[in-house]
Amino acid sequence: MAKIQFLQLPVPPPSYYAATGNVPLAAASLASCLESKEDPVLGVSPYVVSPEDTDSLGDRELIDRIAKEGPDFLGLSLYLWNTERSLYIAREVKKRNPETTILIGGPEVNEDNPYVLSEEGYDIAVSGEAEHSFRSLMRALLSKSSLEGLENVAYRLDNGSLTSFGKQAAADFPLTDFPSPYTTGHLQVDPRRSTYLETVRGCKSQCTYCFYPKSSQNLRTLDIPETIRLISNLKEKGAKELVFLDPTFNHRPGFENFLDAIAEVNSDGSMSMFAELRSEGVTPKLATKLRKAGFTRVELGLQSVNEETLKRVKRYGSPHKVAEVAKMLAGEGMELLLDLIIGLPGDKPDDVERGIHFFLEHGLGEWVQAFPLSVLPGTAMRRDAEKEGLSFMPTPPYRIIQTPTFSPRDLTESLYFAEDLLERRLDEFPRPFLCAALSKKNDRIDIAFTDSRNHSASGKNFVSESSLSSWSGSRHHSVWFHTEDLSKDLSRILSLIEERITAEPFCTVDFVLPLVSLPKPKEMTKLVSILETKRNSYLSRTLAHRGENLQHRLVFVFDGNHSELKNWRDRELDSTSFLIYETIPTNRIRSIDPSKEAFYLIEGEEIDASDFAFLKEEMDSEAITFSSRKLEEKWSMEVLGYGEL
């Protein structure tokens, strides 16, 4: 029996305790389609790597595990956020296990994505919605038949080159053809996570920036009785939050009856729900039915306040209708996500400003999320990018760099301007992991550059410099460099930073230096520079326009009693290349001045409830972190609002 292992890596979160949104629905659906009762693919045993593992395992651990298990086939689901890491793991597994056949698929795998197609390390690429072609592919592989002419499939020739894709065939199979991965056991319901499900595939809209129209313009639905059976099953398994991935939730035929059926199965309100809607067609009656069904969060895409731009990108619609429906849904008690895209063809910086003011004037500012355009593979916008004069990153996140009406500076300033108007940050903050070490965890390691250090100090996991090269860290970990003479030890520290990034390039790593004296400008420059030269991943590029790095962070920590370092911190408050944390014991929390812009590391395992309330009510929530894991997790969940969705 051949073994096929499916790996779907999560969205890399901005901090240790943030949610990953990791529900490998695509991978599990492919595993399940091999086991359809009527026509199973014989001779292969599918297995999906669990979210618990992909959430926590670092690069080395993942590669070691896959190589040790030695599957005959490895399938990787590629998305914007995981493509680079997935391809890296594919290359490394292939080096260790050349006999493993590696397959890639997902929205990143397209004829118009030269980045993915030029990469090596995989054997077969599958484009489009895969179940209907994947089964044929697996049968061919298992029987060692030729892959020539297989629909939607490209494969590696003996000379290492990749063939063109076979005929691109749109998916047209009914959604009932294959069992749900929740019923086959390839995907478990975890009450602590959102439960993702699809009841519709295909999208009637033709938005040029979106991948869905390429997949299918015909709606294929899971009928109401079948959907209700699935939802009932998920409820019995303990699901607490359902996320409908249907491209436009309210475009499904019989939508009102569909909501009534969901409301009946969720009559006790034990499940909350999320979906993305088009405002057109949403009436007060439908808004009430959404609430009764259990919908607590809804996303509406305005995208631009310029109606000519909406026509140009084939979004269409009316901003005023979006505002009307948003207020209607908010009146039913729902939280909203209201989208604005910065840099759409035809838009100008003034349109972004008008869009923010539009929402503020309607009292909807708290729900707005504004973000730069990404020119995604498989979209009409990428096809027409040259004609439209769009310049964009060739690798994830494919972010727009320049348009005929937006200079690079305009794009960044529009985001900052939106934040000023909304009085909040609109994207992720690279929150470092500064918690104390635990002996059974591989998420913190300490290196001392002096023999006088107490290597058994509490909260530290000291190792030798040479041990770092063989150490396997978790997906997000911190490396602490303890030195009493930064000038003397700098070259070794720089070497170890480079070594760690090379060893696990797609782990999120916080490089932490506790300071005992003032660092010199040249030392700072060298530390910042080495991280800048390694800014070669989706996560490190995501906040490049801010000068921040979500993948590899530089963090300085100092004792709050050190006045010289305190003054230095005050002079460096505007830096985006590194973070500076002042350590404060829990018994001195009230000495913090809330009016001062600074970052604080609270040291101690216990905190008085009134002090916790003081920090929560008076301080910028992102300015506070804890050495205690218990307190850091509590803060992340209760104050920062981290949770799955």
Side-chain angles (χ1 to χ4, degrees):
M1 178 76 74
K3 294 187 297 182
I4 181 168
Q5 190 172 75
F6 292 94
L7 179 67
Q8 183 172 328
L9 296 174
V11 178
S15 69
Y16 189 91
Y17 286 107
T20 62
N22 187 9
V23 179
L25 181 62
S29 294
L30 289 175
S32 295
C33 84
L34 299 175
E35 300 180 335
S36 63
K37 291 181 180 178
E38 291 76 15
D39 187 23
V41 176
L42 303 176
V44 63
S45 173
Y47 170 75
V48 180
V49 180
S50 75
E52 289 75 21
D53 289 336
T54 52
D55 272 357
S56 60
L57 298 179
D59 297 341
R60 277 181 166 171
E61 289 182 310
L62 268 174
I63 293 161
D64 288 345
R65 170 174 168 165
I66 294 168
K68 182 178 179 181
E69 293 178 353
D72 300 282
F73 304 96
L74 174 64
L76 299 161
S77 299
L78 304 192
Y79 293 89
L80 181 75
W81 54 83
N82 71 14
T83 290
E84 290 162 305
R85 190 181 185 207
S86 297
L87 292 173
Y88 168 75
I89 287 170
R91 289 194 300 273
E92 295 301 309
V93 169
K94 198 70 175 175
K95 289 176 188 175
R96 301 261 292 272
N97 291 17
E99 68 281 2
T100 295
T101 299
I102 298 180
L103 307 91
I104 62 170
E108 292 286 291
V109 182
N110 267 284
E111 293 173 313
D112 64 354
N113 193 356
Y115 161 63
V116 168
L117 299 185
S118 65
E119 287 289 302
E120 299 177 352
Y122 61 88
D123 301 291
I124 298 168
V126 184
S127 69
E129 192 177 329
E131 286 98 331
H132 67 301
S133 52
F134 181 65
R135 286 161 51 84
S136 300
L137 170 61
M138 288 308 302
R139 284 196 167 108
L141 289 170
L142 291 166
S143 64
K144 302 189 185 307
S145 303
S146 171
L147 304 184
E148 186 176 355
L150 282 181
E151 294 178 347
N152 302 345
V153 170
Y155 56 93
R156 194 81 58 188
L157 297 173
D158 290 340
N159 64 8
S161 63
L162 193 70
T163 69
S164 299
F165 283 96
K167 178 185 175 183
Q168 293 292 295
D172 59 3
F173 58 88
L175 298 191
T176 51
D177 273 8
F178 307 117
S180 164
Y182 292 106
T183 59
T184 61
H186 288 300
L187 192 56
Q188 303 298 319
V189 171
D190 184 343
R192 298 167 299 177
R193 298 177 186 269
S194 302
T195 300
Y196 292 6
L197 70 159
E198 291 178 305
T199 71
V200 174
R201 289 193 190 177
C203 186
K204 294 192 295 185
S205 300
Q206 298 296 305
C207 307
T208 63
Y209 50 81
C210 184
F211 177 77
Y212 281 123
K214 177 180 173 66
S215 175
S216 177
Q217 295 168 19
N218 299 317
L219 299 189
R220 287 170 295 130
T221 63
L222 200 62
D223 64 30
I224 292 177
E226 188 69 27
T227 302
I228 295 305
R229 278 193 290 274
L230 175 59
I231 292 175
S232 298
N233 180 272
L234 297 176
K235 182 179 180 180
E236 289 171 8
K237 293 178 185 296
K240 297 297 182 185
E241 183 175 61
L242 301 186
V243 174
F244 288 85
L245 299 181
D246 307 1
T248 305
F249 189 57
N250 55 319
H251 274 184
R252 90 162 5 249
F255 183 60
E256 195 172 322
N257 292 336
F258 184 49
L259 291 179
D260 289 339
I262 296 174
E264 185 174 347
V265 76
N266 193 34
S267 59
D268 59 358
S270 62
M271 295 183 291
S272 62
M273 305 188 193
F274 170 86
E276 183 177 352
L277 306 177
R278 286 294 296 257
S279 56
E280 295 79 14
V282 177
T283 61
K285 181 181 180 182
L286 275 179
T288 300
K289 285 181 179 288
L290 282 161
R291 173 181 56 79
K292 288 181 177 178
F295 285 85
T296 56
R297 297 187 77 190
V298 169
E299 185 170 1
L300 294 173
L302 172 61
Q303 318 311 0
S304 174
V305 75
N306 185 332
E307 294 195 34
E308 289 305 310
T309 294
L310 294 177
K311 291 177 185 176
R312 185 166 174 174
V313 300
K314 298 187 178 180
R315 173 72 184 182
Y316 305 109
S318 161
H320 290 283
K321 180 63 176 176
V322 172
E324 175 192 332
V325 171
K327 287 187 277 190
M328 192 188 299
L329 295 171
E332 293 285 349
M334 292 176 222
E335 294 182 25
L336 305 174
L337 294 175
L338 304 173
D339 301 336
L340 280 174
I341 301 177
I342 299 173
L344 285 172
D347 259 0
K348 300 175 182 177
D350 286 351
D351 293 309
V352 177
E353 180 180 348
R354 289 195 304 117
I356 299 297
H357 279 299
F358 174 81
F359 279 128
L360 289 171
E361 288 162 6
H362 283 278
L364 298 166
E366 66 178 300
W367 313 116
V368 175
Q369 53 179 14
F371 46 86
L373 171 69
S374 287
V375 184
L376 300 173
T379 63
M381 185 167 290
R382 176 169 285 219
R383 182 195 64 208
D384 298 334
E386 187 174 350
K387 183 176 70 176
E388 292 278 15
L390 306 181
S391 174
F392 60 93
M393 295 178 182
T395 53
Y398 310 113
R399 185 156 291 164
I400 196 75
I401 296 172
Q402 189 167 353
T403 80
T405 52
F406 273 93
S407 69
R409 182 174 179 177
D410 289 335
L411 289 164
T412 301
E413 288 187 348
S414 290
L415 177 64
Y416 288 150
F417 187 80
E419 291 183 338
D420 288 342
L421 287 176
L422 295 169
E423 299 182 333
R424 58 186 165 85
R425 182 170 171 138
L426 289 171
D427 53 23
E428 301 167 316
F429 175 75
R431 183 176 179 82
F433 175 65
L434 302 179
C435 291
L438 285 181
S439 58
K440 294 182 180 179
K441 291 276 192 178
N442 62 337
D443 52 22
R444 170 171 169 167
I445 198 164
D446 294 75
I447 298 172
F449 293 90
T450 171
D451 293 336
S452 64
R453 283 279 172 187
N454 177 7
H455 284 34
S456 62
S458 174
K460 298 179 178 61
N461 180 22
F462 282 106
V463 301
S464 64
E465 293 177 48
S466 59
S467 298
L468 183 60
S469 60
S470 59
W471 183 67
S472 296
S474 61
R475 180 188 51 78
H476 186 170
H477 60 266
S478 62
V479 180
W480 292 62
F481 300 112
H482 300 270
T483 174
E484 294 179 357
D485 189 340
L486 183 56
S487 295
K488 173 187 170 187
D489 298 323
L490 181 61
S491 63
R492 292 153 71 195
I493 291 172
L494 294 172
S495 178
L496 290 170
I497 289 175
E498 183 167 18
E499 183 181 284
R500 178 95 301 254
I501 293 175
T502 301
E504 305 205 71
F506 296 99
C507 286
T508 298
V509 189
D510 296 304
F511 296 104
V512 187
L513 281 95
L515 295 175
V516 295
S517 61
L518 203 63
K520 297 180 177 65
K522 285 185 178 179
E523 296 164 355
M524 305 286 294
T525 300
K526 288 182 178 180
L527 287 163
V528 169
S529 295
I530 193 165
L531 297 186
E532 282 301 308
T533 62
K534 302 297 181 183
R535 194 188 279 271
N536 55 2
S537 68
Y538 158 80
L539 202 59
S540 68
R541 288 189 293 266
T542 301
L543 298 182
H545 58 284
R546 289 187 180 271
E548 297 174 355
N549 191 332
L550 271 172
Q551 189 88 65
H552 305 120
R553 297 88 167 265
L554 179 60
V555 185
F556 296 100
V557 175
F558 74 97
D559 188 321
N561 294 318
H562 199 304
S563 58
E564 187 180 26
L565 285 172
K566 216 169 192 176
N567 292 334
W568 167 76
R569 183 271 312 276
D570 294 344
R571 295 193 300 271
E572 297 288 349
L573 283 177
D574 292 332
S575 173
T576 56
S577 300
F578 50 84
L579 294 164
I580 307 170
Y581 279 79
E582 177 182 344
T583 60
I584 300 286
T586 52
N587 61 6
R588 291 191 57 244
I589 285 174
R590 294 304 178 112
S591 68
I592 298 175
D593 180 0
S595 66
K596 188 178 188 61
E597 290 187 11
F599 292 92
Y600 298 95
L601 171 58
I602 310 300
E603 295 190 318
E605 285 297 317
E606 301 296 331
I607 184 172
D608 185 82
S610 63
D611 287 339
F612 191 88
F614 167 78
L615 294 173
K616 179 179 178 180
E617 294 163 10
E618 302 294 334
M619 300 296 296
D620 174 359
S621 57
E622 287 290 6
I624 301 298
T625 189
F626 298 85
S627 63
S628 163
R629 291 167 185 259
K630 178 182 68 175
L631 294 176
E632 176 67 10
E633 184 171 12
K634 177 181 171 70
W635 187 265
S636 295
M637 300 302 170
E638 295 182 13
V639 180
L640 296 175
Y642 290 155
E644 291 292 342
L645 187 62

